[in-house]
Amino acid sequence: CDAIFFGNDPKNGLGFLGLGEFTTSLVEVVTIFVFTVDYILRLWTADIESSKYAGVPGRLRYVFTFYSLVDLASTVPFYVDLLTPHISLEATQFLRMFRFFRMLRVEGRFELTLTLFDEVYSDQKNILGTALFIGCTTWCAVASLYYLAERRNTNMIYCPDP
């Protein structure tokens, strides 16, 4: 069921984390693990990127770079929730949006692709805006109709018990 992998389903096997009411998804745990390992490795090898990051003072300087702070802001909320399961910190949830900023890091690998996207967007922004408006309007209309049709249906089960 999608809720086990992507949603906060209490039966997803993550009870050993001891997060109490806050149950997380398998995708989030795997993502946080990958981001954490990536961050530690980049911090360890920061002096290869630039000699100004050599040694402990250099590594501390690296921690306060923009993308390093974005990485910290995207992973730290998970560890705060993990270490304080008895405290519900709703404010940490919004920090998870920084994971999207983390994915914006280009580092030159996708420069040609992003340039092409930029050219297509600038040439076709009127058509893309119209398509976005029609898509969002259709999505809201269909979601409203779906809600009206199914709001009293008690037999509607997204994740049936096995």
Side-chain angles (χ1 to χ4, degrees), residues 101-150:
F101 292 132
R102 185 184 192 287
M103 293 177 199
L104 293 176
R105 248 186 317 142
V106 177
E107 297 177 0
R109 291 181 287 183
F110 305 109
E111 187 174 352
L112 180 63
T113 305
L114 290 176
T115 303
L116 180 63
F117 276 125
D118 181 46
E119 289 173 8
V120 169
Y121 173 75
S122 62
D123 290 344
Q124 304 294 329
K125 64 181 162 189
N126 292 334
I127 294 172
L128 291 172
T130 303
L132 178 67
F133 175 76
I134 291 172
C136 288
T137 304
T138 304
W139 184 23
C140 290
V142 170
S144 299
L145 291 172
Y146 182 70
Y147 171 76
L148 290 173
E150 297 292 335

Side-chain angles (χ1 to χ4, degrees), residues 65-124:
T65 61
F66 175 74
Y67 286 116
S68 179
L69 289 173
V70 166
D71 290 344
L72 282 176
S74 68
T75 56
V76 166
F78 175 82
Y79 293 112
V80 168
D81 289 337
L82 183 66
L83 296 174
T84 59
H86 55 283
I87 300 172
S88 178
L89 298 172
E90 306 300 333
T92 63
Q93 301 300 318
F94 107 93
L95 290 174
R96 295 166 195 256
M97 72 164 187
F98 282 105
R99 291 179 192 160
F100 295 115
F101 292 132
R102 185 184 192 287
M103 293 177 199
L104 293 176
R105 248 186 317 142
V106 177
E107 297 177 0
R109 291 181 287 183
F110 305 109
E111 187 174 352
L112 180 63
T113 305
L114 290 176
T115 303
L116 180 63
F117 276 125
D118 181 46
E119 289 173 8
V120 169
Y121 173 75
S122 62
D123 290 344
Q124 304 294 329

Side-chain angles (χ1 to χ4, degrees), residues 25-86:
S25 66
L26 293 173
V27 171
E28 182 176 19
V29 171
V30 171
T31 303
I32 289 295
F33 175 75
V34 170
F35 283 179
T36 302
V37 169
D38 176 58
Y39 184 78
I40 291 170
L41 291 175
R42 280 190 298 107
L43 186 62
W44 182 265
T45 60
D47 59 337
I48 296 173
E49 180 182 335
S50 174
S51 61
K52 67 180 179 180
Y53 300 133
V56 175
R59 300 270 188 325
L60 288 175
R61 191 176 308 118
Y62 179 77
V63 168
F64 292 104
T65 61
F66 175 74
Y67 286 116
S68 179
L69 289 173
V70 166
D71 290 344
L72 282 176
S74 68
T75 56
V76 166
F78 175 82
Y79 293 112
V80 168
D81 289 337
L82 183 66
L83 296 174
T84 59
H86 55 283

